[in-house]
Amino acid sequence: KQEVTQIPAALSVPEGENLVLNCSFTDSAIYNLQWFRQDPGKGLTSLLLIQSSQREQTSGRLNASLDKSSGRSTLYIAASQPGDSATYLCATLSGYSTLTFGKGTMLLVSP
Amino acid sequence: SQTIHQWPATLVQPVGSPLSLECTVEGTSNPNLYWYRQAAGRGLQLLFYSVGIGQISSEVPQNLSASRPQDRQFILSSKKLLLSDSGFYLCAWGASLNVADTQYFGPGTRLTVL
């Protein structure tokens, strides 16, 4: 059974810092890995999707990498802004379209 | 464009009462549909998914059930709620089982069982 772990559970940084969120998974037989953002009391918004054959994906100030063999992914956020404050969730796709989520990293970027 | 709706947004129910949460998708046909629960201190957990009308797969045994009476409608139900059913329920849809496709999430329903 796939298990997804995210470290740290919470992170507080001043505006402008570059930061890295970590995600690890136990079963490397995945189809893809995704990063989502969740604002308090809201649904999830997909940020980046990395297929198993890919190493990284970039969108604006976000860059996600995938090392399937070691079961790790990182989400890099450049020049953080207060608007980046949210919970970031990592999820792997395996089986019959089954997404397995980590518990998330709660990010607070202070002005 | 596609949109996904969930209602109600919040719900407070007593233990032992029934439950019905509804999810509808607009702007697409034959979507894959999913119900997730996010409980306090736990990750998002897949409860049910459906690849077509009347086709429901359960991921976790529980006192909840799901139905798909129409192509773009997904309902989560319970005959008798438990305290442990409290949580944030999210519906999602996906265009296909293609690994390059993501899932799109609704706004969620906050359920509190007292």
Side-chain angles (χ1 to χ4, degrees):
Chain A
K1 180 184 175 183
Q2 179 75 283
E3 292 183 6
V4 178
T5 303
Q6 291 187 245
I7 295 173
L11 182 62
S12 181
V13 300
E15 181 177 7
E17 273 202 10
N18 302 324
L19 55 98
V20 174
L21 307 182
N22 296 292
C23 171
S24 61
F25 48 95
T26 55
D27 186 353
S28 62
I30 63 172
Y31 294 119
N32 68 41
L33 184 140
Q34 301 180 50
W35 284 92
F36 292 87
R37 169 183 171 141
Q38 185 176 29
D39 292 290
K42 305 292 185 182
L44 276 64
T45 301
S46 179
L47 296 173
L48 291 166
L49 184 155
I50 312 174
Q51 296 185 48
S52 63
S53 58
Q54 299 173 327
R55 297 284 294 182
E56 66 177 349
Q57 283 288 330
T58 299
S59 176
R61 294 182 294 107
L62 305 180
N63 175 276
S65 66
L66 173 64
D67 184 343
K68 204 171 73 161
S69 61
S70 67
R72 295 182 181 181
S73 175
T74 60
L75 177 66
Y76 176 82
I77 302 177
S80 58
Q81 303 171 357
D84 294 330
S85 298
T87 295
Y88 291 80
L89 297 166
C90 165
T92 60
L93 180 70
S94 55
Y96 197 70
S97 194
T98 301
L99 276 174
T100 302
F101 286 84
K103 293 183 180 180
T105 294
M106 186 181 301
L107 173 65
L108 176 63
V109 181
S110 53
Chain B
S1 64
Q2 300 85 10
T3 56
I4 179 168
H5 304 279
Q6 286 187 246
W7 64 89
T10 61
L11 191 60
V12 180
Q13 292 284 96
V15 170
S17 62
L19 173 73
S20 180
L21 303 181
E22 189 165 345
C23 169
T24 59
V25 181
E26 296 177 354
T28 186
S29 59
N30 196 30
N32 298 320
L33 297 172
Y34 308 86
W35 277 113
Y36 291 88
R37 177 170 62 199
Q38 193 172 35
R42 303 184 66 179
L44 208 62
Q45 181 183 40
L46 177 65
L47 301 175
F48 301 94
Y49 67 91
S50 171
V51 298
I53 296 174
Q55 300 179 59
I56 308 294
S57 296
S58 174
E59 290 292 305
V60 182
Q62 61 233 322
N63 70 318
L64 300 172
S65 62
S67 62
R68 185 171 178 174
Q70 300 180 41
D71 181 46
R72 289 168 289 178
Q73 184 184 32
F74 206 23
I75 297 173
L76 183 69
S77 304
S78 175
K79 293 182 179 178
K80 290 185 178 181
L81 283 169
L82 307 173
L83 286 174
S84 58
D85 292 323
S86 293
F88 191 50
Y89 287 81
L90 288 162
C91 180
W93 74 273
S96 70
L97 298 179
N98 189 310
V99 298
D101 288 338
T102 187
Q103 293 178 16
Y104 301 92
F105 286 78
T109 295
R110 173 74 60 188
L111 172 65
T112 302
V113 182
L114 301 175

